[in-house]
Amino acid sequence: MATTPGQGPLTGVRVVELAGIGPGPFAAMLLADLGADVVRVDRPGGTGLAIDTECDVTNRNKRSVIVDLKSPDGPARVLDLAARADILIEGYRPGVAERLGVGPDACHARNPALVYGRMTGWGQQGPLAHRAGHDIAYIALTGTLGMIGSPDEPPAVPANLVGDYAGGSLYLVIGVLAALHHARATGTGQVVDAAIVDGASHLAAMIHGMLAAGGWQDRRGANLLDGGCPYYGTYETADGRYMAVGALEPQFYDEFLELLDLTDFASARKDWARWGELREAVAARFKSRTRDEWTAVFEGSDACVAPILSLREAPHHPHLAARGTFTDHGGITQPAPAPRFSATPTAVRTGPAQPGADTAQVARDWGVPDLTKGLDMDSADMNGLE
């Protein structure tokens, strides 16, 4: 088996992941990190935007089998796995899984307690449900993208973290685990419809409340938390690097000004008329020294100032290194599993699953001997189904 006792709180939970890209694999990785036995059903030919499989850490802690869902017996092999699983995750466009013969009805006919997780951008219903899309379009329609960036520049693209992973993967994981709790209490599974537009909108719940209360302006760079506030934002240093400032509370703001030698601006904290002047003064001070010099100035303080590090720098920061926030496995530096558990610790147990490498082992462990049949057949590439 891929998991043993003590390797995470989900040890013993079986998950089938129908291979895709983006939020589905990340959600399955999180479940695998937490100890679940995740079997990724890869397709012949791979997925369209996949990176080198040796480096794709979103497939760590998983096992992989190859099934051609377009072959005559392909759907039956997936249904055999679904019959023995607790959770199934798919990320096709609405209706594709049904056309392939592995939709919720077919799976629940074999396993009524199965939690069937569906990961899409637009959701299973609505005018855009069948449209193609990516993270950037999903967060654009929710108002999320429009909040990010300077007011005199186009909205800033936050990689695919806000939509795919925060609004998508994490909500799918929350959903399937909640449904699993219900299934174990009642014996009844259900379908979890995780749409990125829903999750990304939900993430902004506090801001919608502030908007209703008149505490948030519906435009970029004009609010406390969107860079409009001069003591909550980023500043360039003398060496072209950057510092992040989050000195919101009065005591932190006072310490921030003291370390910058700008105590004359103590009364500017709540005086919006002086925010422009304060921003210029803060920017000038940060431009007078390098990032590392300012890091030393704020070291040990409660001014809520931190250096902005690159992806390669981050693992070497003393705090992250002390916590083991990053780990090295198979020659790849990568984020360690999160969160942490006192009784059931997690770990990176295996590197990225290689397509089909675990078919025989999974067939034996899950009691699905037919999984190994027809592995050498010439199958059509399934790219483009989603």
Side-chain angles (χ1 to χ4, degrees):
M1 293 290 289
T3 58
T4 57
Q7 291 191 321
L10 295 185
T11 297
V13 173
R14 286 179 168 179
V15 179
V16 175
E17 173 199 354
L18 302 186
I21 59 174
F26 187 85
M29 180 204 74
L30 181 50
L31 295 171
D33 283 354
L34 297 179
D37 181 8
V38 176
V39 172
R40 177 179 167 94
V41 179
D42 278 300
R43 64 190 67 178
T47 54
L49 295 179
I51 65 173
D52 181 350
T53 58
E54 297 285 348
C55 299
D56 189 354
V57 298
T58 64
N59 284 328
R60 71 188 185 190
N61 289 338
K62 303 177 184 178
R63 298 191 286 180
S64 170
V65 302
I66 290 181
V67 175
D68 182 1
L69 278 170
K70 285 188 172 181
S71 69
D73 63 348
R77 300 292 78 78
V78 170
L79 293 177
D80 286 344
L81 291 170
R84 294 159 175 79
D86 299 291
I87 297 168
L88 182 145
I89 290 174
E90 60 94 355
Y92 300 129
R93 291 196 204 186
V96 171
E98 284 84 351
R99 292 199 301 271
L100 291 172
V102 293
D105 290 346
C107 288
H108 283 143
R110 295 287 302 276
N111 181 359
L114 180 72
V115 173
Y116 194 102
R118 316 199 82 165
M119 181 74 260
T120 61
W122 305 116
Q124 298 298 311
Q125 301 90 28
L128 297 179
H130 293 274
R131 285 268 301 275
H134 283 293
D135 176 292
I136 192 168
Y138 309 139
I139 65 174
L141 288 195
T142 64
T144 310
L145 182 60
M147 293 192 298
I148 305 173
S150 301
D152 55 349
E153 297 179 358
V157 180
N160 67 332
L161 303 178
V162 174
D164 278 354
Y165 297 146
S169 303
L170 298 187
Y171 279 86
L172 176 62
V173 169
I174 292 169
V176 297
L177 292 182
L180 179 62
H181 174 75
H182 174 265
R184 290 190 164 177
T186 66
T188 303
Q190 60 182 301
V191 177
V192 177
D193 175 6
I196 293 172
V197 291
D198 296 346
S201 297
H202 193 262
L203 287 170
M206 181 191 74
I207 293 174
H208 279 281
M210 295 172 68
L211 183 66
W216 188 277
Q217 299 183 59
D218 197 12
R219 56 191 178 92
R220 289 195 306 283
N223 299 285
L224 191 66
L225 302 176
D226 66 355
C229 173
Y231 46 91
Y232 194 90
T234 59
Y235 291 92
E236 186 176 2
T237 56
D239 54 349
R241 296 180 178 181
Y242 296 87
M243 299 292 290
V245 176
L248 291 176
E249 291 83 355
Q251 67 273 29
F252 303 150
Y253 177 75
D254 290 343
E255 190 166 354
F256 169 64
L257 292 184
E258 182 177 347
L259 291 171
L260 279 182
D261 194 21
L262 291 175
T263 53
D264 288 347
F265 286 91
S267 63
R269 179 173 171 272
K270 290 188 174 181
D271 186 354
W272 286 16
R274 297 190 66 193
W275 274 16
E277 178 189 3
L278 173 59
R279 184 186 305 280
E280 291 180 3
V282 172
R285 291 293 290 141
F286 274 119
K287 284 285 285 185
S288 69
R289 299 185 188 182
T290 67
R291 185 193 68 179
D292 291 347
E293 288 173 334
W294 280 118
T295 300
V297 168
F298 288 99
E299 183 73 26
S301 78
D302 276 342
C304 301
V305 176
I308 297 179
L309 304 182
S310 71
L311 290 175
R312 294 191 185 279
E313 289 178 309
H316 303 289
H317 186 276
H319 180 77
L320 303 184
R323 283 187 58 79
T325 299
F326 292 85
T327 187
D328 291 306
H329 190 281
I332 300 175
T333 299
Q334 56 196 281
R340 304 180 185 201
F341 300 85
S342 61
T344 54
T346 58
V348 177
R349 305 181 303 276
T350 64
Q354 298 306 296
D358 309 294
T359 303
Q361 185 185 54
V362 171
R364 182 185 65 248
D365 293 345
W366 283 42
V368 187
D370 288 347
L371 197 61
T372 59
K373 292 182 179 179
L375 290 181
D376 58 348
M377 64 188 297
D378 182 18
S379 302
D381 192 312
M382 289 179 60
N383 290 337
L385 276 176
E386 293 92 314

